[in-house]
Amino acid sequence: MLDAWSELHGGIDPRASFWVERWVLLSNACARPLVRLGVTPNAITVCGAAVTAIAFAVTFAGPEWFAVAAVLILVAAGLDGVDGAIAAQTGSATQWGRVLDTMADRWSDIFLAGIVVMAGAPPWLGVVIAVLTLFLEGTRATAQAAGMAGPGRVTVWERPSRVILALVATVAATVVWQVGLSDGDADALAALIAGVGAILAMIGLLQLFVAVFRQTRGRPPDSDSSLA
């Protein structure tokens, strides 16, 4: 299963990280009963994006609902790993599934940034986080189309980091509501959390840019490439 996961994720070896390896093993364990029920990886992919959207919608109900949003974020993160595990176990990975998974991830990234804003962060910081995230993933996709092998580099701003940021923001908002801090203190804490996310996103983009530059520099364009 670990080798199958590696093949689906650009050759990244999960054994290189204790946490990644445990996450892959846990995802596979959760996927087994779903495989027996005939659940498809694409269905799980859509469910994961939908749960993230619901988590975002829940935050509009008020601070007392942020704990629910945090739980939904964790559920969506779990589904994000289970879809790949089902594909690996059943050998049902397809090009369309890859496209659908990418689309779902990008929508989820936007919702996660929105959740951070709803937790009290300045909207402009949420926009910065979302734009940098989309720019990072767009750069990666373009580089792969140009011939770069795999993800280029695993940066500090991958999907787990984005999930953790939204989770921390919702948990912090819940604690602030329970403790009864002033609106000014609550907004300052949310801005700090979002600021850390924006910094990590910028660092991740720079890490990927360096890796892409090193791997694609001097590489002639493919004859069928549409890149200028």
Side-chain angles (χ1 to χ4, degrees):
M1 286 300 102
L2 294 176
D3 291 334
W5 185 92
S6 177
E7 184 177 348
L8 291 173
H9 293 80
I12 300 174
D13 186 359
R15 301 175 187 84
S17 168
F18 173 85
W19 298 110
V20 174
E21 181 180 8
R22 293 300 178 275
W23 174 254
V24 173
L25 293 175
L26 177 62
S27 297
N28 275 283
C30 294
R32 291 189 188 101
L34 297 176
V35 170
R36 288 193 289 269
L37 291 173
V39 178
T40 66
N42 290 350
I44 297 298
T45 297
V46 173
C47 286
V51 171
T52 308
I54 294 172
F56 176 59
V58 162
T59 60
F60 284 87
E64 62 272 20
W65 286 86
F66 277 101
V68 176
V71 173
L72 292 173
I73 290 170
L74 287 175
V75 172
L79 293 173
D80 191 37
V82 170
D83 59 356
I86 293 176
Q89 290 181 25
T90 61
S92 58
T94 63
Q95 291 297 335
W96 165 241
R98 190 181 298 271
V99 172
L100 182 64
D101 186 62
T102 299
M103 293 172 60
D105 284 348
R106 298 297 76 78
W107 277 109
S108 295
D109 288 336
I110 294 173
F111 286 130
L112 290 173
I115 289 171
V116 174
V117 172
M118 292 302 298
W124 69 268
L125 265 178
V127 171
V128 168
I129 292 172
V131 169
L132 289 175
T133 300
L134 296 178
F135 193 20
L136 184 153
E137 294 297 347
T139 300
R140 174 174 285 153
T142 303
Q144 289 172 333
M148 183 183 74
R153 173 168 179 174
V154 178
T155 72
V156 297
W157 191 243
E158 302 296 341
R159 285 280 295 166
S161 300
R162 304 161 201 170
V163 170
I164 291 171
L165 182 75
L167 186 63
V168 169
T170 52
V171 170
T174 300
V175 173
V176 164
W177 174 66
Q178 290 286 346
V179 173
L181 292 180
S182 67
D183 291 342
D185 290 338
D187 290 346
L189 177 60
L192 175 62
I193 293 171
V196 171
I199 292 172
L200 289 176
M202 177 59 70
I203 294 173
L205 179 60
L206 292 174
Q207 287 178 316
L208 180 66
F209 180 81
V210 171
V212 168
F213 177 75
R214 289 175 176 173
Q215 293 191 40
T216 61
R217 178 182 53 184
R219 180 192 295 268
D222 295 336
S223 58
D224 60 345
S225 174
S226 60
L227 299 176

